């Protein structure tokens, strides 16, 4: 078992397990996870409908909260999800030129340079969280402050599905959702008047009302920040903890892509996507789960399945690639694979110009939330490498 990711001792590929506390089946083998994610009739739980029911019963108005959640693709089923997915794909293509190496590299280089030096910095807020915010701001032509606020307010809203909560919590989330709604409507109105990247994106959102457009934009921004920041924190952590791979990359013996893919395999930033409900009986290996069962997946365990990966718990960036599940699979597969991988590789490339120092174990803190695999704190020192002048 690798000491590199000490919190992942529980990652283990085994037959479907019933989790009494959560009242669902957990899939951990690669083949089982892939089968579920590809099962077109396995539905995600549209919990915004449940929040709407709570609002009606309690005589409250949670319209903004329900509106935002209703437009987040991975909480929706076809046909709405399928159509909205096609629209978001077109919207992203319309601003695709802003996702090139040439556009993103200076953003990342500047962020890295701003924390370089002899002092330790917590690289989670200063780099891992900040870079995806800067990139999203660039993509849509928004300010860093606007995207930072959307992300901060949006975290609670997106997590509203996690458990039944007291009414006062839903009411507080409704207030946050209303602020997000107002801020995005303002930006959308401005973009429609002044043009710019957000307007090019909006041009592809045909047939939706304003509330849906706000929700679609919000959902895309949120999907692109939380997960990517997890990847970036893990990339920096492994670079600092295993400097032999950094040397190999500097010498051209190891590819940047191989390193990032191995980080995605060992530490998938979205470890547990939202649960599905089976519409039909479904076979997972020699176990059949009945229609109506709730089923969840553990991507980390699946990506350490010895049936597919030799020495599954070892970090080996030179391993030949097997399709990863870190970006999902099937009808909900991630729309941001290109962008997220680009951010990972460009941060890695920028960091290769520095010696990365980890102070001690106290400066490394993993998020205990089992949905994600990411750091909450990563104290790091980035010392510029002294390039020797040729004699
Ligand atoms: C390392 C970073 C990322 C990881 C690990 C990741 C992972 C995932 C996974 C596992 C899913 C499937 C969820 C499910 O099946 O329930 C997903 C969906 C999605 N991702 Fe990503 N993602 C990342 C970055 C991004 C970025 C940068 C964007 C935006 C540009 C994005 C946009 C989306 C969207 C819109 C969906 C929903 C697709 C649908 O439901 O049809 N993601 N992502």
């Amino acid at each position: 078992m690798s000491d590199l990711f000490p919190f992942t001792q529980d990652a283990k590929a085994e037959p479907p397990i019933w989790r009494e506390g959560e009242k669902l089946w957990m899939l951990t083998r690669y083949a089982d996870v892939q089968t579920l994610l590809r099962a077109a009739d396995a539905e995600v739980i549209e919990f915004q409908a449940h929040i709407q029911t709570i609002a009606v019963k309690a005589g409250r108005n949670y319209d903004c909260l329900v509106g935002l959640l209703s437009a987040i693709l991975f909480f929706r089923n076809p046909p709405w999800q399928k159509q909205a997915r096609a629209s978001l794909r077109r919207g992203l293509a319309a601003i695709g030129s802003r996702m090139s190496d040439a556009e993103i590299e200076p953003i990342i280089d500047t962020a890295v340079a701003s924390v370089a030096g002899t002092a330790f910095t917590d690289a989670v807020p200063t780099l891992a969280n900040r870079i995806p915010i800067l990139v999203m701001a660039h993509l849509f032509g928004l300010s860093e402050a606007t995207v930072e606020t959307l992300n901060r307010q949006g975290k609670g809203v997106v997590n509203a599905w996690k458990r039944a909560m007291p009414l006062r919590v839903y009411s507080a989330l409704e207030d946050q959702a209303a602020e997000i709604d107002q801020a995005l409507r303002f930006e959308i109105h401005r973009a429609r008047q002044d043009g710019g990247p957000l307007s090019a994106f909006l041009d592809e959102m045909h047939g939706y009302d304003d509330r849906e457009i706000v929700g679609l934009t919000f959902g895309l921004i949120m999907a692109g920040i939380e997960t990517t920041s997890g990847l970036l924190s893990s990339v920096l952590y492994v670079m600092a903890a295993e400097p032999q791979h950094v040397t190999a990359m500097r010498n051209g013996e190891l590819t940047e892509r191989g390193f990032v893919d191995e980080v995605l395999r060992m530490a998938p930033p979205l470890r547990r996507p939202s649960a599905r409900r089976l519409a039909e009986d479904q076979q997972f290996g020699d176990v059949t789960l009945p229609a109506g069962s709730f089923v969840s997946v553990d991507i980390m365990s699946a990506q350490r399945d010895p049936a597919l990966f030799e020495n599954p718990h070892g970090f080996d960036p030179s391993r030949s690639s097997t399709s990863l599940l870190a970006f999902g699979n099937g009808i909900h597969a991630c729309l941001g694979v290109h962008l997220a991988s680009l951010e990972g590789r460009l941060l890695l490339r920028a960091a290769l110009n520095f010696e990365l120092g980890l102070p001690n174990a106290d400066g490394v803190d993993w998020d205990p939330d089992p949905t994600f695999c990411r750091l909450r704190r990563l104290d790091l020192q980035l010392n510029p490498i002294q390039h020797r002048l040729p004699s």
Side-chain angles (χ1 to χ4, degrees):
M1 191 75 64
S2 164
D3 286 330
L4 192 56
F5 302 101
F7 67 103
T8 63
Q9 309 286 348
D10 60 334
K12 189 169 166 210
E14 52 194 353
I17 313 150
W18 172 250
R19 291 259 177 102
E20 181 59 29
E22 299 173 76
K23 301 271 184 262
L24 51 71
W25 290 94
M26 177 61 71
L27 304 181
T28 53
R29 292 184 297 207
Y30 186 98
D32 294 346
V33 171
Q34 195 176 45
T35 301
L36 182 74
L37 295 180
R38 286 183 176 175
D41 56 355
E43 298 190 328
V44 296
I45 295 113
E46 297 195 336
F47 63 94
Q48 66 282 358
H50 172 65
I51 295 177
Q52 182 59 30
T53 309
I54 294 175
V56 171
K57 273 194 193 154
R60 309 272 173 117
N61 177 345
Y62 296 150
D63 283 359
C64 288
L65 181 59
V66 171
L68 289 183
L69 293 172
S70 303
I72 296 181
L73 257 57
F74 42 71
F75 298 147
R76 296 300 306 270
N77 293 304
W80 194 92
Q81 176 265 352
K82 192 175 174 198
Q83 210 172 2
R85 184 177 168 87
S87 303
L88 282 185
R89 226 187 241 292
R90 283 195 302 274
L92 280 171
I95 50 175
S97 64
R98 299 176 77 79
M99 289 182 226
S100 65
D101 279 43
E103 297 261 338
I104 306 296
E105 194 162 19
I107 298 174
I108 294 183
D109 285 352
T110 309
V112 171
S114 74
V115 296
T118 48
F120 280 103
T121 180
D122 179 355
V124 171
T126 57
L127 294 175
N129 291 351
R130 184 163 177 245
I131 287 171
I133 288 175
L134 290 169
V135 169
M136 278 293 161
H138 168 75
L139 219 59
F140 290 102
L142 301 173
S143 71
E144 179 184 355
T146 300
V147 179
E148 204 272 320
T149 308
L150 289 178
N151 183 50
R152 189 163 18 86
Q153 305 274 41
K155 279 185 198 174
V157 168
V158 174
N159 285 331
W161 63 277
K162 283 200 172 164
R163 55 193 165 271
M165 294 182 287
L167 283 179
R168 65 184 156 71
V169 178
Y170 285 118
S171 299
L173 291 178
E174 170 64 14
D175 290 344
Q176 289 179 11
E179 279 187 47
I180 292 168
D181 186 86
Q182 198 183 15
L184 271 175
R185 274 173 200 264
F186 173 79
E187 295 294 346
I188 288 169
H189 176 72
R190 198 165 63 169
R192 282 186 176 135
Q193 297 203 316
D194 302 348
L198 179 55
S199 133
F201 172 82
L202 295 172
D203 285 347
E204 301 299 330
M205 304 292 125
H206 312 294
Y208 298 105
D209 62 28
D210 276 1
R211 174 151 290 176
E212 286 174 314
I213 290 179
V214 164
L216 285 166
T217 312
F218 167 74
L220 191 62
I221 291 175
M222 290 304 291
I225 294 178
E226 289 292 287
T227 44
T228 310
S229 68
L231 171 63
L232 301 186
S233 66
S234 296
V235 163
L236 288 171
Y237 164 70
V238 182
M239 285 180 84
E242 305 243 309
Q244 71 276 21
H245 303 308
V246 172
T247 308
M249 280 187 282
R250 287 194 189 119
N251 294 340
E253 294 155 4
L254 200 63
T255 64
E256 293 162 357
R257 192 180 293 274
F259 183 92
V260 172
D261 278 359
E262 185 64 351
V263 172
L264 282 165
R265 185 186 74 82
M266 292 286 285
L270 184 54
R271 181 175 177 178
R272 280 186 59 179
S274 45
R276 297 343 195 222
R277 185 173 30 220
L278 297 181
E280 307 276 336
D281 290 3
Q282 179 83 52
Q283 186 96 17
F284 296 100
D286 49 8
V287 178
T288 303
L289 300 184
S293 302
F294 290 94
V295 188
S296 190
V297 300
D298 177 2
I299 291 179
M300 182 188 289
S301 294
Q303 293 190 150
R304 294 168 181 226
D305 187 338
L308 272 100
F309 302 96
E310 211 175 296
N311 182 20
H313 298 288
F315 185 87
D316 176 5
S318 67
R319 68 173 75 233
S320 54
S321 67
T322 303
S323 303
L324 294 179
L325 295 170
F327 291 109
N329 208 306
I331 65 164
H332 288 280
C334 183
L335 289 180
V337 179
H338 164 78
L339 182 61
S341 309
L342 181 69
E343 289 180 55
R345 275 188 291 110
L346 292 178
L347 175 61
L348 186 154
R349 197 177 296 168
L352 284 178
N353 293 315
F354 299 87
E355 293 297 347
L356 303 185
L358 280 175
N360 51 52
D362 291 346
V364 177
D365 183 21
W366 292 92
D367 191 338
D369 184 341
T371 305
F372 298 100
C373 177
R374 61 186 180 196
L375 285 142
R376 284 196 300 200
R377 177 171 164 195
L378 176 62
D379 286 352
L380 214 58
Q381 193 182 33
L382 290 97
N383 272 322
I385 292 175
Q386 303 300 323
H387 290 286
R388 264 191 246 133
L389 291 172
S391 51

